[in-house]
Amino acid sequence: MPRRALDNPIVLAVLGLLLEQPSHPHQMLAELRKRSDNHAAAITRGTLYNTVAALTEAGWLASQGQQRLGNRPERTVYALTEEGRDELVRRLDSQIRNPEREFSQFLGAVTYLGALGVSGAVEALVERAQRLRQRTAADEERLAEALAAGVPRLHVIEAEYALCLARAETAWIDSVIDDLRTGSLTSPTDSATTSTPPVTPNRKESNAWH
C-alpha cells in the first residue's frame, strides 16, 4: 500500500467521521460533502473508496458487515478500530500543536498582484471582498441557526474558525485596496527617487511589483 494513500488530507476527515458512528462509504461521501465546501470540491467517489480501502488495510478501520436499505444494493459498513482511534488522536494532536504554512490559491495569486496594475488589482480585490462578505454573511446565518437549534458549539467550532479567517482576509483586502487607491502601495518602478541606479524592466516585468 503506497504511503501517500495514508497522507491524503481526507484521511483525518474519514477517521473523525467514523469516530461519531460506523458508516458505509456512500454515506461518508454524502456527509463529508454536506459538512464542507472544501470536501465537496476535493472528494470523489473513487478517492473516498480508495482511502477507505487503505485505512482498512492499515488496520484503522474494520468492516461491520453489510447494510441494505430498501431496494438499494448492499453496502459495507465500516467502524473505527482502536488503532484507528489512536491514529486519529495522534494526527489531531500534531496538527493542532504545529502551525503549518498552508499554501492557498489566493496566496499564490496575490504574490503577483502587481501584474494586474493598480486599477486591475483594485477591481479584482473589491470583487473578492464583496464575495467574501456575501459568503461570510451566509455562513454566519447558518452557524447561528445551528446553535439556535441546539447543536453544541464544539461540534461547529470549525465554522467559527473559518469565519474568523474570512473576516481577517476581508479586513486585509480592504486595507490593501485603500493603500492602492491612496498611492501608498505602488510598484517599485513608479518611485520618483531611488538609492540605486534604475533598472529598465523588460516587457513582462514593467507592470508588476515582483
Side-chain angles (χ1 to χ4, degrees):
M1 175 181 56
R3 178 64 197 178
R4 63 178 177 274
L6 299 180
D7 292 334
N8 191 310
I10 71 169
V11 166
L12 187 66
V14 171
L15 294 177
L17 193 63
L18 292 177
L19 179 66
E20 300 174 15
Q21 64 178 12
S23 180
H24 55 74
H26 182 79
Q27 188 177 6
M28 294 181 213
L29 181 62
E31 187 63 25
L32 290 172
R33 285 177 170 174
K34 182 174 71 174
R35 295 187 184 191
S36 170
D37 291 339
N38 290 334
H39 288 148
I43 299 180
T44 65
R45 184 175 181 275
T47 298
L48 180 62
Y49 274 80
N50 289 339
T51 299
V52 168
L55 295 177
T56 303
E57 185 176 342
W60 299 348
L61 304 184
S63 170
Q64 296 279 289
Q66 302 290 316
Q67 180 186 80
R68 180 191 293 275
L69 294 176
N71 294 325
R72 297 177 180 177
E74 287 189 342
R75 295 190 171 103
T76 302
V77 176
Y78 293 89
L80 205 60
T81 64
E82 285 301 317
E83 292 83 356
R85 180 184 292 267
D86 290 344
E87 179 62 19
L88 172 63
V89 170
R90 185 192 69 78
R91 291 191 180 212
L92 285 173
D93 184 76
S94 174
Q95 292 186 24
I96 290 174
R97 288 176 185 272
N98 302 308
E100 298 288 342
R101 295 188 182 276
E102 299 175 0
F103 188 84
S104 68
Q105 288 186 336
F106 179 59
L107 179 59
V110 82
T111 301
Y112 301 101
L113 182 64
L116 298 178
V118 172
S119 61
V122 168
E123 182 180 345
L125 289 172
V126 166
E127 183 171 342
R128 183 179 182 89
Q130 290 173 341
R131 292 183 176 184
L132 274 173
R133 286 189 172 90
Q134 291 170 355
R135 190 179 71 187
T136 299
D139 290 345
E140 287 173 340
E141 184 176 348
R142 283 196 293 269
L143 177 58
E145 289 174 352
L147 294 174
V151 177
R153 181 185 172 197
L154 191 59
H155 290 182
V156 289
I157 200 73
E158 75 281 3
E160 283 190 18
Y161 175 68
L163 282 169
C164 182
L165 292 181
R167 293 174 187 133
E169 181 182 325
T170 304
W172 179 81
I173 289 174
D174 287 342
S175 71
V176 172
I177 291 171
D178 288 341
D179 290 342
L180 287 168
R181 284 173 168 166
T182 60
S184 62
L185 178 58
T186 61
S187 167
T189 58
D190 293 335
S191 301
T193 60
T194 180
S195 58
T196 57
V199 177
T200 302
N202 61 36
R203 182 176 301 175
K204 292 182 179 180
E205 297 171 340
S206 61
N207 201 30
W209 298 325
H210 296 275

